[in-house]
Amino acid sequence: MSRLLATVLIAAGLLPGAVLAGKAPLAVVAAASPAPLAAPIDFGPPQGEPIHAVLGIPPNVPPPINRKTPAKVIVDLEVIEKEMQISEGVTYTYWTFGGTVPGSFIRVRQGDTVEFHLKNSPDNKMPHNIDLHGVTGPGGGAASSFTAPGHESQFTFKALNAGLYVYHCATAPVGMHVANGMYGLILVEPPAGLPKVDHEYYVMQGDFYTTGKYREKGHQPFDMDKAIEERPTYVLFNGHEGSLTGDHALTAKVGDSVRLFVGNGGPNLVSSFHVIGEIFDKVYYEGGTHAQENVQTTLIPAGGAMMAEFHVDVPGSYVLVDHSIFRAFNKGALGILKVDGPENKAIYSGKEVDSVYLGDRANPNLHAVAAAAKANASGTLSKDDQIAAGKQLFTGTCSVCHQANGEGLSGVFPPLAKSDYLAKQDKDHLIGIPLHGLTGKVTVNGKEYDSVMPPMSQLTDDEVANILTYVLNSWDNPGGQVSKEEVSKVRATPAPAATGH
Ligand SMILES: [Cu+2]
C-alpha cells in the first residue's frame, strides 16, 4: 500500500475500521458509519528547486500546474494604490493587489509550500496586509503580513486544502480596503489537476461606493456612508465598467469548453451569477470539491468563489450578469463572452442578443459623454458637445421605446421626431418629462397616446441636459439648448400631478 493511499485511508477514518473488522469491505464500513470528516492531507516536504509563481492578470489565469510533486512556490505580490477609470469619464482611487482589480490570480498545487512576499509600494499612503482563505492559520496570513508603505512582509504556508479561494486585504477599516478593490483569487489545484478545457477565465464581482451617482463624471471619492448602508453606486465585474465588454469581451469558438473562475470580493453583496443564454454543465459551488450539474444561476457569497464549466454550442454574445438585475443594467455588473463560429440552427434559430435587451450596455461607447463632461468642467461646453453626448445617451436610455431614429412605435410610443407636442412645451415641462416620467393622454402629431413613460431619475443633470439638447436639435425639431443648471432647478421642484396635461 502506498504511503499516500495509507494516509488517505487513515485520514478518512477507513483504515483502522477495515483492519479491525478483518474482512469487512470498505463500502460496508463506509455505509455503516456516518461519512467521516476528511482531514486535509500533508503531502510531505517540497521537492526540487523553489518555483516563482506565474501570476494571472484578469481576465487571464496562469497555466495549469502539471506537476506530480509538491514544491516550494514563491509568490511576489505588490500592493499598488492608483487612480483608474471606473466608468467612461469617471475615475476612482483603487487599492490593488498587483495593479489590477481583482488582484493577480495565484495558482498552486495542493501540498505546495507557499513563500509569500507582500510588498507595499513606497508611493502608497496606507498600510495593507493579506488574508488568504486558502491558508490554514489565524487570520489567513493577515497577522504576519501587515505592511507599511515602502516595506515588505514574508510568511509561509502549506496549501493543505484544494479549492478556489478568495484573498483580500484585512487592514482596518477592512470594509474600505475591500471596497477599494483589494481582493483576488488563489486556486489550489488538486494533485491530479483539473480536467483540460479550451479556455479558462478569471472574473470577480465587487460593489463600489462613490459620492456621486452612477456614471457621474469626474473623480469620485469613496462614500463610507453608502458602504455602511450597503447602497452601492456600481456593481462590477473586474473592477471597471466595460472591463469585459466590447474589445475586452471574453472569447471562445463554437464547440469549445470554457471554465470560469468567478469570485465575489463584496464587500457587501451576494452575487446571483448567471450567463444569459448558457447553462453551466458543472458548478463547483462555493469553490469546493463537489459539482452540481445543469445550473442556470449560482450564488457566490461575498468572500466566496465558484468554478463553472460549460460548452459553447452556438455563436453569439453571452452576457455575464448578476441576476439581481438592476445591478446589471443600472450599476454595471455585465460582461460578454463572444463566441465565434458556424450557426447551429438545430440548437438555436439565430439572431444576436438584441439591442432591446441590452441597449448600449454590451458595447458602451460613451467617449462623447466623457468629452462633454470634461468640457463642462472646464467651462468650454458647446452645443455640439452636448448633441454628441446626448446622442450616445439617447441610444442607451430612450431609443428602446422612441427608437434610434426618433420615430417611436405606432400606437405605442409617440414619435420625438418632428413632434408637435414636444415643440409646444415650455422648457421646464420638457425637462420634467425624463425626470418625472409622463402618464395620461397626450396627443402627438394628431395621434392620441394614453400610456406610461417611467421616470428616468437615475440620469444625472448633465445627462438629461445633453439628451434633451440632442432631441431638440434632431429630426426637424425646433432646436435650442438645455443646461445642467436648468435641469437641477426642475429636479429640485416637486413633480407635477400625474395627469392633466
Ligand atoms: Cu489594504
Side-chain angles (χ1 to χ4, degrees):
M1 189 180 289
S2 75
R3 185 177 168 278
L4 177 60
L5 180 57
T7 315
V8 172
L9 292 178
I10 291 164
L14 293 177
L15 193 54
V19 169
L20 286 178
K23 53 188 190 298
L26 290 184
V28 171
V29 173
S33 55
L37 190 66
I41 305 157
D42 181 346
F43 289 84
Q47 299 177 28
E49 288 296 302
I51 296 166
H52 280 268
V54 177
L55 302 180
I57 307 302
N60 297 310
V61 179
I65 303 283
N66 286 327
R67 190 165 15 88
K68 299 274 175 290
T69 51
K72 177 172 174 177
V73 179
I74 299 166
V75 175
D76 280 299
L77 196 55
E78 185 178 21
V79 175
I80 300 167
E81 299 169 1
K82 66 174 185 185
E83 196 174 287
M84 291 188 279
Q85 191 164 286
I86 190 165
S87 179
E88 187 83 48
V90 190
T91 55
Y92 186 77
T93 304
Y94 292 87
W95 300 345
T96 73
F97 285 108
T100 56
V101 178
S104 311
F105 193 103
I106 306 167
R107 189 167 194 158
V108 300
R109 180 182 182 275
Q110 189 180 12
D112 281 350
T113 296
V114 181
E115 185 183 294
F116 208 100
H117 297 251
L118 187 72
K119 294 172 190 169
N120 192 350
S121 162
D123 299 330
N124 290 350
K125 304 213 166 30
M126 308 292 291
H128 301 284
N129 66 3
I130 192 165
D131 167 356
L132 299 119
H133 292 179
V135 167
T136 305
S144 0
S145 61
F146 182 85
T147 314
H151 288 72
E152 176 180 336
S153 304
Q154 183 187 328
F155 63 99
T156 301
F157 67 93
K158 189 168 264 198
L160 295 178
N161 300 68
L164 182 62
Y165 300 97
V166 167
Y167 66 78
H168 62 90
C169 182
T171 302
V174 178
M176 182 179 179
H177 284 250
V178 173
N180 285 342
M182 299 200 75
Y183 44 77
L185 291 180
I186 174 169
L187 172 68
V188 182
E189 279 191 11
L194 301 173
K196 205 184 148 357
V197 290
D198 297 306
H199 303 277
E200 291 186 328
Y201 289 116
Y202 172 23
V203 176
M204 208 156 170
Q205 183 170 323
D207 25 302
F208 292 84
Y209 303 82
T210 64
T211 51
K213 273 180 174 245
Y214 174 63
R215 287 186 173 176
E216 191 164 316
K217 304 303 175 217
H219 185 76
Q220 293 294 334
F222 170 71
D223 188 322
M224 189 67 163
D225 290 333
K226 276 193 192 170
I228 292 169
E229 288 162 15
E230 306 190 11
R231 276 194 303 120
T233 327
Y234 293 85
V235 181
L236 300 171
F237 295 131
N238 290 6
H240 319 268
E241 198 169 20
S243 60
L244 297 176
T245 59
D247 294 341
H248 304 293
L250 306 179
T251 56
K253 293 213 158 46
V254 166
D256 284 351
S257 52
V258 179
R259 176 179 293 125
L260 297 179
F261 297 100
V262 188
N264 184 7
N268 288 319
L269 301 185
V270 168
S271 174
S272 300
F273 188 78
H274 176 78
V275 177
I276 301 175
E278 237 340 303
I279 297 155
F280 302 132
D281 297 340
K282 278 188 178 173
V283 169
Y284 292 84
Y285 47 94
E286 295 164 15
T289 308
H290 293 287
Q292 164 75 295
E293 294 183 353
N294 303 322
V295 175
Q296 55 190 309
T297 301
T298 188
L299 275 179
I300 314 177
M306 71 93 190
M307 252 175 354
E309 294 169 0
F310 54 95
H311 288 83
V312 286
D313 302 307
V314 181
S317 292
Y318 296 84
V319 190
L320 285 59
V321 294
D322 180 336
H323 215 297
S324 290
I325 211 73
F326 270 102
R327 299 176 188 169
F329 291 102
N330 300 80
K331 295 184 175 186
L334 195 147
I336 301 280
L337 169 64
K338 185 112 186 84
V339 178
D340 286 325
E343 297 278 359
N344 185 342
K345 303 274 188 202
I347 296 178
Y348 186 67
S349 64
K351 188 167 185 217
E352 263 284 0
V353 175
D354 61 72
S355 60
V356 173
Y357 203 155
L358 288 180
D360 71 333
R361 305 285 151 167
N363 198 356
N365 176 18
L366 299 171
H367 296 300
V369 177
K374 225 180 215 160
N376 200 359
S378 61
T380 61
L381 183 70
S382 71
K383 193 162 147 183
D384 286 346
D385 291 335
Q386 281 195 284
I387 291 171
K391 181 172 185 184
Q392 290 179 348
L393 293 162
F394 184 90
T395 306
T397 312
C398 321
S399 70
V400 223
C401 298
H402 294 291
Q403 305 301 298
N405 60 8
E407 298 289 348
L409 272 184
S410 182
V412 187
F413 303 119
L416 301 183
K418 248 189 202 168
S419 157
D420 60 354
Y421 178 90
L422 188 151
K424 65 176 188 253
Q425 298 305 311
D426 67 59
K427 218 189 231 180
D428 283 359
H429 189 198
L430 184 62
I431 292 169
I433 293 176
L435 285 184
H436 308 307
L438 192 62
T439 55
K441 281 198 179 83
V442 292
T443 305
V444 184
N445 299 347
K447 281 213 180 100
E448 197 171 88
Y449 295 83
D450 188 1
S451 187
V452 176
M453 171 172 154
M456 320 256 152
S457 53
Q458 81 277 9
L459 295 168
T460 61
D461 293 344
D462 52 343
E463 286 173 337
V464 172
N466 295 344
I467 290 174
L468 290 177
T469 302
Y470 166 67
V471 170
L472 284 171
N473 290 282
S474 303
W475 317 304
D476 291 333
N477 284 337
Q481 203 171 356
V482 176
S483 74
K484 180 183 169 178
E485 289 71 26
E486 288 169 322
V487 178
S488 69
K489 204 188 77 199
V490 174
R491 199 192 289 271
T493 56
T499 50
H501 32 234

